[in-house]
Amino acid sequence: MSNNIIFRVYFFLFSFITITGFSQEKLKFSLYDYFKSDKLLDSIVEHNFNSLNDTQRVAQMIIQACGGLGKSQNEMCTLIRSNIIGGAIFLKSEKKQVIDYIQSFDSIRKVCSLLPLLYTTDGEPSLINNKIKGIESFPKTNTLVTPAQNTEAGIKIAKVLKNFGILYNYAPVCDMAINKEIINNRSYGNDKSTLIPNGKAFIRAQQNSGIAATAKHFPGHGNVKGDSHANLVCINGAMTELDIFKEMIADSVLSVMVGHIAVKNNEKYNTDGLPSSCSRKIVTDLLRNELNFKGIIITDGMNMGALNKLKNAAMKAVEAGCDIILIPNDERKLSADILLKISKDKGFKEQIYYSVKRIIRMKVCLGLI
């Protein structure tokens, strides 16, 4: 759609609102509109995409950590001004610190006329009190044994996050609890007949409350040994947790986080020693194409030990088809590498543009744009 046509759409729309008094509330989109065919939503996404240059577009794909276990406020402010990042994740931060950071970041992006930033965290019932200290206490995920309990927890956590302006939550964990090193009480257990409805209830509660939920850690961290925070873990043979993620995708979860999990002895989806987050077989062939997931694909934290021996892991994750790269070790190099490749590779440029438009679409459906 040309800019002229987009302008005419907006002119007609705002004239209609002015003349008829039609409520702007009725023109807001929900997170469930994300997956629907909607020409107005498409035009808003295109308009905002076209308002950006390529550096600003690539920035949408990079989320960096701040506060405790992350970069300082000054470092983050510089990255925002420089059009390097499009969002922030809060790790082990005090309540007041989160408030101060977000106020500072919002002020900068307004002065610089940038798109709104995505504020995120691991708001799992088991982790949220560790990620944002000073909020009300929540029970561990494994103690929430019914959909009703997960609906209640999902609504309460959404309220807490929205009070900060955090609208993108990396929860729930959809892995089975077989893995004791890192999953354990973060999971709904080992019985898929209860795990799946509990996960769906949490996701629905979050997304009905205006928080983008995330099913993690694709294609399954439960049936592996080890902790990907420390080392690369591996699925040996069949991906036995895949059906859990299929259910979450069918139930319109907006985001899927791909774990740093290798797959071996699997004829179709062997990752050849790469983590799933950096494997095009897993990210694009399996998740995007075979499972037909049309939402946001985000990596697990790229600062984790599983990637220590892999060069240019963040760029490999982009090439694999991930839309958002979480906590890259060198966000400036990643931005430069993506920009260089899109200047030379038409197919890669098209892929990046699709990723950016997905992110902008999520921002519109979150009410940020």
Side-chain angles (χ1 to χ4, degrees), residues 104-139:
S104 174
F105 300 162
D106 280 346
S107 176
I108 290 169
R109 79 95 185 160
K110 288 175 183 176
V111 169
C112 296
S113 299
L114 304 175
L115 290 186
L117 300 163
L118 281 174
Y119 297 122
T120 75
T121 195
D122 293 295
E124 309 165 23
S126 291
L127 291 187
I128 188 169
N129 290 112
N130 183 50
K131 301 302 178 181
I132 305 176
K133 297 180 180 296
I135 60 173
E136 65 178 280
S137 296
F138 288 93

Side-chain angles (χ1 to χ4, degrees), residues 209-229:
S209 301
I211 300 287
T214 306
K216 65 184 186 185
H217 306 81
F218 188 85
H221 202 306
N223 198 21
V224 301
K225 293 181 180 179
D227 177 2
S228 54
H229 289 86

Side-chain angles (χ1 to χ4, degrees), residues 83-352:
N83 292 307
I84 301 297
I85 62 174
I89 175 175
F90 293 95
L91 302 174
K92 214 166 188 178
S93 300
E94 297 292 336
K95 179 179 177 179
K96 186 179 184 305
Q97 186 182 39
V98 175
I99 295 170
D100 290 345
Y101 273 42
I102 288 178
Q103 287 178 345
S104 174
F105 300 162
D106 280 346
S107 176
I108 290 169
R109 79 95 185 160
K110 288 175 183 176
V111 169
C112 296
S113 299
L114 304 175
L115 290 186
L117 300 163
L118 281 174
Y119 297 122
T120 75
T121 195
D122 293 295
E124 309 165 23
S126 291
L127 291 187
I128 188 169
N129 290 112
N130 183 50
K131 301 302 178 181
I132 305 176
K133 297 180 180 296
I135 60 173
E136 65 178 280
S137 296
F138 288 93
K140 303 297 183 185
T141 303
N142 66 334
T143 67
L144 303 173
V145 297
T146 67
Q149 289 176 327
N150 278 285
T151 296
E152 182 181 4
I155 292 170
K156 286 183 177 180
I157 288 174
K159 184 177 179 181
V160 169
L161 295 180
K162 289 185 80 171
N163 283 339
F164 289 105
I166 296 172
L167 300 182
Y168 186 12
N169 188 12
Y170 306 136
V173 168
C174 294
D175 312 305
M176 297 175 72
I178 301 168
N179 178 282
K180 301 301 181 186
E181 290 92 340
I182 191 60
I183 302 302
N184 203 11
N185 66 21
R186 298 167 63 193
S187 165
Y188 292 112
N190 297 328
D191 185 347
K192 293 180 183 178
S193 68
T194 56
L195 188 162
I196 290 171
N198 282 327
K200 285 183 177 180
F202 187 90
I203 288 167
R204 289 173 188 169
Q206 290 271 291
Q207 295 191 170
N208 286 335
S209 301
I211 300 287
T214 306
K216 65 184 186 185
H217 306 81
F218 188 85
H221 202 306
N223 198 21
V224 301
K225 293 181 180 179
D227 177 2
S228 54
H229 289 86
N231 300 291
L232 182 65
V233 298
C234 187
I235 295 171
N236 189 354
M239 293 177 279
T240 57
E241 297 169 271
L242 209 56
D243 52 337
I244 301 170
F245 291 92
K246 289 179 182 179
E247 291 280 350
M248 304 306 159
I249 291 168
D251 212 46
S252 298
V253 69
L254 200 74
S255 171
V256 171
M257 178 179 284
V258 183
H260 306 316
I261 308 158
V263 180
K264 67 179 182 180
N265 296 324
N266 186 304
E267 185 177 352
K268 188 174 182 181
Y269 288 114
N270 190 75
T271 62
D272 302 315
L274 287 173
S276 291
S277 53
C278 299
S279 170
R280 193 164 180 85
K281 287 182 183 178
I282 300 299
V283 176
T284 295
D285 296 348
L286 175 57
L287 180 53
R288 185 68 78 197
N289 295 336
E290 185 174 327
L291 301 187
N292 197 33
F293 179 60
K294 298 184 183 301
I296 303 292
I297 300 177
I298 185 170
T299 69
D300 205 345
M302 300 301 289
N303 60 338
M304 291 165 60
L307 305 175
N308 282 346
K309 297 179 181 178
L310 183 62
K311 291 183 179 180
N312 298 321
M315 187 61 179
K316 284 183 171 62
V318 174
E319 292 169 335
C322 293
D323 299 308
I324 296 179
I325 308 302
L326 183 63
I327 323 178
N329 288 319
D330 189 338
E331 63 285 324
R332 290 182 182 276
K333 182 179 186 302
L334 176 59
S335 175
D337 287 348
I338 296 172
L339 288 167
L340 178 62
K341 186 163 182 176
I342 66 175
S343 70
K344 298 179 177 180
D345 187 328
K346 185 178 180 181
F348 182 72
K349 181 178 182 178
E350 185 177 68
Q351 175 194 313
I352 295 302

